[in-house]
Amino acid sequence: MELIQETPEISAYLAADEVIDHEHPRVRALAATLSVDAPDAYSYAKAAFTFVRDAIPHSMDAGDERSEMGVPRAEGWGRVTWRASDVLAQRTGICYAKAHALAALLRAEGIPTALCYQKFDVVHGLVAVRLPGQDRWVRQDPRGNKAGVDAQFRLDREQLAFTVRPEFNEVDYPVLFAEPHPAVLQCLREAVDRPHLWQTLPTDL
């Protein structure tokens, strides 16, 4: 599949905004920490990917029902994060949120990063990166591994969390977005809790 930039300017994939807020001190501090043992862009990108994949549990996998202070809430309550700095602070998020966090960490170190999507029962979010010296984008999926899911950071080929099955009307969307898709951002912003979010996830773009 040929990946298609939504906008031709590569600078758009380095920009900071309200969601991918890589100028936030929390993002900058973590980027600095990760870069200590990463002598080049590839090493840093892999370290950032591994951190978001492994150190920030996917909300569904973790069964996250805590408040920000760790105090249990009423049954069915759950945190919904969408801004990169908040994902890093609260250490929780669904695939979209984790993609936003990874994009922020990579853009903080000057690595062009796009947001991209797949369609299963609902839309799934991941990223694509373009490292210095590379002439192509490669998709990476930081949603978090579990039984049956083994996503890895690779440039030679994709090793994503999920593979689409066209016979079941599943889709790899080829467009690389510089900002979150409006349908994705709307559902995250409007969700009052995690159960509500599950009911409003977009089923297509």
Side-chain angles (χ1 to χ4, degrees), residues 59-60 62-81 90 92-93 191-198:
S59 301
M60 180 174 286
D64 174 44
E65 301 290 349
R66 297 171 299 160
S67 73
E68 291 185 22
M69 301 302 294
V71 179
R73 294 286 187 122
E75 184 177 355
W77 193 90
R79 295 175 292 174
V80 177
T81 55
Q90 298 190 38
T92 189
V192 297
D193 57 24
R194 192 158 53 87
H196 179 240
L197 177 63
W198 299 153

Side-chain angles (χ1 to χ4, degrees), residues 84-132:
S85 58
D86 290 337
V87 177
L88 297 178
Q90 298 190 38
R91 297 293 178 92
T92 189
I94 66 168
C95 59
Y96 311 137
K98 295 187 67 171
H100 299 165
L102 179 55
L105 288 171
L106 294 176
R107 291 185 185 186
E109 291 296 309
I111 298 173
T113 308
L115 302 171
C116 46
Y117 303 93
Q118 298 172 304
K119 171 183 168 9
F120 299 98
D121 291 333
V122 296
V123 173
H124 174 61
L126 55 161
V127 306
V129 300
R130 187 166 180 173
L131 294 183

Side-chain angles (χ1 to χ4, degrees), residues 154-175:
R154 303 187 64 138
L155 298 182
D156 57 336
R157 63 177 178 85
E158 291 183 343
Q159 188 168 337
L160 307 178
F162 309 112
T163 301
V164 303
R165 300 167 296 175
E167 65 271 22
F168 292 100
N169 296 317
E170 297 173 352
V171 177
D172 275 318
Y173 292 110
V175 177

